């Protein structure tokens, strides 16, 4: 069986919140990891987002369009606002989600949590910054109607004044892979949070690299609570949807010698290894389909 050796004698994530360069902290964090964690994942670490991002009823309070209208009202600070649903915001900075950690009693390793804030609390942070919060700043991540919550992501990379504010509350921006290594992979709640953070990062990154229309070159604007973008040129109005890049990851096993083939890149943090993985060329996908079709014909 394959094992990852990880974990720590000191608080990994709390140490990340100290005033030490993140790269150093990441290295330090991982070098302190010393518990043993079996790899027994049913899905990819960042897959399995439990939030629902679609709803068949647009009039539902939790649908993207309805939640977006409520969001705009709340940003205008109207006095008479419905208390439901609750809005939670997860800030990101340079692709890193905000996180914090708590240490259970005894010698148990610390547990990290994503830095979710209620919309009102988040606006309090922004009051002491130069960040201009608009309805277009937030992207809809999904909802949990059973919890009466709609979740939003926001990229605050352009405002560094928020970092010390969050730091004072023991929050810091942490690389997703660091969170992945610090997560107990048998903890379903933690794995769900990891999947939400992965989804949010991908969506925010797509917004960041899709600022201009590939057809006419005009600026794009977010639509449908950030679930898609559209060209601002009235003569173009091209619709742009988040990219889905086909990727593959595999574990090569030497059964006779009970070994597995792993690899690492120079940018990896110490002791981090990976299965073989990469993007799939479209031509290869087409090739797979052709081969599959031929095999089906031959079998028949
Ligand atoms: Zn255009």
């Amino acid at each position: 069986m394959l094992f990852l050796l990880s974990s720590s004698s000191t608080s990994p994530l709390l140490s990340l919140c100290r005033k030490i360069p993140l790269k150093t902290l990441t290295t330090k964090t991982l070098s302190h990891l010393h518990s043993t964690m079996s790899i027994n994942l049913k899905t990819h670490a960042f897959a399995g987002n439990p939030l629902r991002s679609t709803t068949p009823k647009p009039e539902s309070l939790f649908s993207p369009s309805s939640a977006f209208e409520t969001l705009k009202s709340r940003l205008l600070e109207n006095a008479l606002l419905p208390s439901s649903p609750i809005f939670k915001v997860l800030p990101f900075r340079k692709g890193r989600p905000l996180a914090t950690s708590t240490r259970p009693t005894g010698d148990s390793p610390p547990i990290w949590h994503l830095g979710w804030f209620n919309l009102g609390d988040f606006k309090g942070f922004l009051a002491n910054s130069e960040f201009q919060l608009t309805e277009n700043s937030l992207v809809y991540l999904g909802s949990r109607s059973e919890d009466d919550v709609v979740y939003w992501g926001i990229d605050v990379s352009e405002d560094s004044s928020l970092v010390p504010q969050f730091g004072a509350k023991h929050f810091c921006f942490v690389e997703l892979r660091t969170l992945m290594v610090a997560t107990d992979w048998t903890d379903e709640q933690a794995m769900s949070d990891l999947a939400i953070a992965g989804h949010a990062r991908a969506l925010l990154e797509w917004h960041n690299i899709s600022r201009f229309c590939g057809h006419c070159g005009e600026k794009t604007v977010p639509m449908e609570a950030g679930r898609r973008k559209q060209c601002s040129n009235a003569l173009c109005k091209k619709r742009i949807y988040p990219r889905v890049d086909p990727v593959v990851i595999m574990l090569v096993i030497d059964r006779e010698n009970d070994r597995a083939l792993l690899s690492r890149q120079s940018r990896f943090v110490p002791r981090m290894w990976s299965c073989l993985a990469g993007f799939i060329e479209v031509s290869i996908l087409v090739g797979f389909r052709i081969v599959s079709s031929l095999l089906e014909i031959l079998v028949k």
Side-chain angles (χ1 to χ4, degrees):
M1 184 180 291
L2 181 65
F3 287 93
L4 268 189
L5 297 174
S6 66
S7 239
S8 77
S9 57
T10 58
S11 166
L13 284 179
L14 283 179
S15 70
L16 291 176
C17 294
R18 294 173 189 152
K19 293 179 180 178
I20 306 174
L22 187 60
K23 187 175 180 182
T24 307
L25 286 166
T26 303
T27 304
K28 184 177 180 179
T29 299
L30 294 175
S31 67
H32 280 270
L33 300 176
H34 63 67
S35 69
T36 302
M37 186 161 51
S38 168
I39 296 178
N40 186 26
L41 291 175
K42 294 178 181 175
T43 62
H44 187 282
F46 297 112
N49 182 353
L51 301 183
R52 285 179 295 175
S53 61
T54 59
T55 172
K57 298 178 181 176
E59 66 272 18
S60 164
L61 291 175
F62 303 94
S63 71
S65 54
S66 181
F68 193 53
E69 290 304 312
T70 308
L71 173 70
K72 285 194 279 188
S73 301
R74 292 188 184 178
L75 290 178
L76 292 173
E77 297 183 291
N78 292 336
L80 296 175
L81 292 176
S83 58
S84 176
I86 299 166
F87 284 173
K88 289 193 174 180
V89 178
L90 178 62
F92 277 74
R93 179 173 166 76
K94 299 180 179 176
R96 294 169 174 163
L98 193 67
T100 188
S101 69
T102 54
R103 179 179 281 282
T105 54
D107 295 330
S108 302
I111 301 171
W112 66 268
H113 311 274
L114 291 177
W116 291 105
F117 292 111
N118 289 326
L119 186 61
D121 294 337
F122 186 63
K123 287 166 71 177
F125 283 109
L126 297 185
N128 298 315
S129 76
E130 296 180 354
F131 190 88
Q132 295 293 317
L133 183 64
T134 69
E135 65 267 25
N136 289 338
S137 305
L138 296 157
V139 295
Y140 178 91
L141 298 179
S143 66
R144 275 179 173 152
S145 58
E146 61 272 28
D147 298 332
D148 196 31
V149 177
V150 176
Y151 296 86
W152 302 86
I154 184 167
D155 189 346
V156 296
S157 300
E158 295 181 1
D159 193 328
S160 58
S161 67
L162 286 168
V163 175
Q165 283 197 65
F166 290 139
K169 301 288 185 184
H170 305 291
F171 287 93
C172 60
F173 293 97
V174 185
E175 175 61 43
L176 265 179
R177 281 177 172 153
T178 303
L179 291 182
M180 179 183 71
V181 174
T183 297
D184 175 358
W185 294 350
T186 62
D187 183 341
E188 291 188 8
Q189 179 61 48
M191 294 305 286
S192 294
D193 277 353
L194 205 58
I196 295 170
H199 168 70
R201 173 181 167 151
L203 192 57
L204 292 171
E205 173 66 11
W206 172 74
H207 271 274
N208 193 36
I209 63 173
S210 308
R211 297 182 179 188
F212 298 94
C213 175
H215 186 66
C216 74
E218 279 294 325
K219 283 187 177 179
T220 57
V221 291
M223 304 290 285
E224 296 180 15
R227 295 201 309 161
R228 69 174 177 89
K229 302 189 87 170
Q230 185 163 317
C231 178
S232 58
N233 181 351
L235 298 175
C236 179
K237 291 186 178 179
K238 185 173 179 60
R239 292 182 171 211
I240 306 164
Y241 292 91
R243 280 176 49 179
V244 178
D245 298 309
V247 295
V248 64
I249 186 165
M250 71 213 78
L251 180 62
V252 180
I253 300 171
D254 175 1
R255 289 188 185 279
E256 285 187 10
N257 297 299
D258 195 23
R259 298 183 301 180
L261 180 65
L262 301 177
S263 66
R264 59 174 282 109
Q265 297 182 21
S266 58
R267 62 183 173 84
F268 282 5
V269 293
R271 302 181 68 192
M272 176 177 172
W273 292 79
S274 169
C275 297
L276 306 179
F279 291 98
I280 304 175
E281 294 286 344
V282 174
S283 58
I284 295 177
L285 283 176
V286 173
F288 276 136
R289 290 195 193 110
I290 293 172
V291 170
S292 299
S293 301
L294 285 172
L295 285 173
E296 282 182 18
I297 292 170
L298 288 172
V299 168
K300 288 176 183 174

